[in-house]
Amino acid sequence: MKDTRIIFMGTPSFASNILSGLLDNGYNIVGVVTQADKRIGRKQILTYTPVKEVALAHNLPVFQPLKIRNEYEDILALKPELIITCAYGQFIPKAILDYPKYGCINTHGSLLPKYRGGAPIQKAIINGEEKTGITIMYMDTKMDEGDILFMESLDIDIDDTSTTLFSKLSDLALKMLLEHLDDIIDGNINPVKQNSEEATYAYNLKPEDEYIVFDEDYMKVYNHIRGLLDNPGAYATIENKKIKFHKVRCTDKVLTEPGMVYGLYDGGLLIGALNGSIIIDEIQSEGKSRMKAKDFYNGAGKNLVGKKFIK
């Protein structure tokens, strides 16, 4: 079954890890579809997507349609028998969904029908979930509503960030695909319709989602911050300066005033919350480089002691 003509659609490192694994295991990837390259960083350097980098390293054809609903003829010209999508980032038109004889499948980072949408991994952490997982599903024209083929759960550890959970779920998705692709191609499956009444949604993160408010329970604040690490990141404002948080812990052993900066505690910068406190281990002041909180405190951070992050 490894000679089946497969097109892979995906964009971030979550997907590139899966593409690499499929190639390493001998699957016949005949083309790759990914989002357009972006300019990144202060110098605005045009950067390939992680999936494109893997594809080019294997001399695979790469397609980067700005709007795939209007630009798909070259993709279908490769005569795919199966399409696998993973964090691609655009809705797939019906003309593509109907083409492969083995269908179009998607690997989604949640236990559907919970957390349909583009940010299921981040939102699961932000909402304090203890479990998440991977769902392999048939695709349809609506967002993450296709029939479920296979599903596996995964525990969310208390110190997981979105970065670590992305990595764990990517590995799980690859494992599941390697176990079940032959079943999908053979038709050895039992598709299960989703119960839409149980559906919840995890839409793409907005800039305002990155802003942290400290006058909430310390676990809620902690989950909010770690659910955004390391990308896009979490920040708050104090003394008219934007402070970005990069590494964080929490404690219920120190009761503090929400939003107040108390100085160093257990090697990190202590900030108050309800019923406990947040400990920042790595921090970045506006216009500055990322640094350890201890170094930040020994510089400009001392001037923030006794002051509060604003809502």
Side-chain angles (χ1 to χ4, degrees):
M1 293 298 175
K2 289 186 176 180
D3 59 348
T4 299
R5 297 176 63 82
I6 298 173
I7 283 181
F8 185 89
M9 297 185 176
T11 298
S13 56
F14 180 85
S16 66
N17 172 63
I18 295 170
L19 174 60
S20 293
L22 293 173
L23 289 165
D24 290 345
N25 280 273
Y27 281 93
N28 182 28
I29 309 297
V30 296
V32 168
V33 183
T34 188
Q35 292 277 53
D37 302 328
K38 290 185 177 180
R39 297 190 180 276
I40 295 177
R42 293 181 181 178
K43 295 183 179 180
Q44 291 292 283
I45 297 173
L46 190 64
T47 304
Y48 292 163
T49 72
V51 163
K52 181 177 179 178
E53 290 182 348
V54 172
L56 293 178
H58 289 81
N59 298 312
L60 296 173
V62 177
F63 303 92
Q64 295 179 280
L66 293 179
K67 294 183 179 180
I68 195 170
R69 67 176 182 268
N70 300 327
E71 306 169 62
Y72 56 81
E73 295 297 339
D74 289 341
I75 298 170
L76 298 185
L78 291 177
K79 302 185 183 306
E81 297 171 291
L82 176 69
I83 292 177
I84 300 172
T85 70
C86 179
Y88 169 52
Q90 292 190 50
F91 282 101
I92 310 300
K94 195 170 186 299
I96 291 180
L97 296 178
D98 290 343
Y99 186 91
K101 68 177 179 178
Y102 301 124
C104 295
I105 61 171
N106 181 38
T107 56
H108 184 76
S110 80
L111 302 172
L112 289 172
K114 291 189 68 173
Y115 295 113
R116 294 173 176 173
I121 298 171
Q122 298 98 322
K123 290 291 181 69
I125 296 176
I126 290 170
N127 291 341
E129 299 284 358
E130 296 181 353
K131 286 186 178 293
T132 184
I134 290 291
T135 303
I136 298 177
M137 53 183 283
Y138 276 134
M139 297 186 68
D140 63 16
T141 55
K142 296 181 180 179
M143 184 175 65
D144 301 325
E145 291 191 19
D147 292 352
I148 294 170
L149 302 178
F150 301 98
M151 183 183 291
E152 272 192 49
S153 65
L154 179 77
D155 290 338
I156 300 177
D157 294 334
I158 191 64
D159 57 352
D160 269 325
T161 66
S162 62
T163 297
T164 62
L165 195 55
F166 264 96
S167 179
K168 291 177 182 179
L169 286 171
S170 179
D171 289 343
L172 176 60
L174 174 59
K175 178 188 81 75
M176 291 172 65
L177 284 171
L178 295 178
E179 287 175 355
H180 297 301
L181 272 178
D182 286 352
D183 291 327
I184 293 169
I185 293 168
D186 286 337
N188 226 3
I189 50 176
N190 183 30
V192 177
K193 289 192 177 299
Q194 296 186 42
N195 183 354
S196 291
E197 292 182 359
E198 297 177 354
T200 61
Y201 292 87
Y203 298 112
N204 289 337
L205 295 171
K206 300 176 181 178
E208 54 264 33
D209 293 327
E210 301 168 30
Y211 189 76
I212 303 302
V213 175
F214 286 92
D215 60 347
E216 297 180 316
D217 184 83
Y218 77 104
M219 279 302 302
K220 186 172 182 180
V221 178
Y222 172 67
N223 290 337
H224 191 176
I225 296 173
R226 69 189 180 110
L228 298 169
L229 300 180
D230 293 294
N231 185 34
Y235 74 94
T237 302
I238 188 169
E239 296 293 287
N240 296 315
K241 289 186 177 180
K242 182 177 177 180
I243 304 291
K244 197 168 187 179
F245 310 120
H246 288 284
K247 195 172 179 183
V248 64
R249 292 174 285 148
C250 66
T251 178
D252 63 354
K253 295 180 180 179
V254 183
L255 300 181
T256 51
E257 185 178 348
M260 184 77 76
V261 177
Y262 285 87
L264 289 181
Y265 174 84
D266 193 25
L269 188 69
L270 188 74
I271 303 173
L274 289 178
N275 307 315
S277 302
I278 303 300
I279 305 169
I280 307 296
D281 288 317
E282 292 186 13
I283 200 166
Q284 183 176 3
S285 186
E286 191 170 5
K288 304 293 184 179
S289 298
R290 174 175 174 171
M291 65 178 68
K292 292 192 178 300
K294 188 185 300 183
D295 296 331
F296 172 80
Y297 174 78
N298 289 330
K302 282 185 177 179
N303 298 324
L304 300 180
V305 174
K307 297 175 182 177
K308 294 181 71 172
F309 283 92
I310 64 172
K311 291 184 181 181

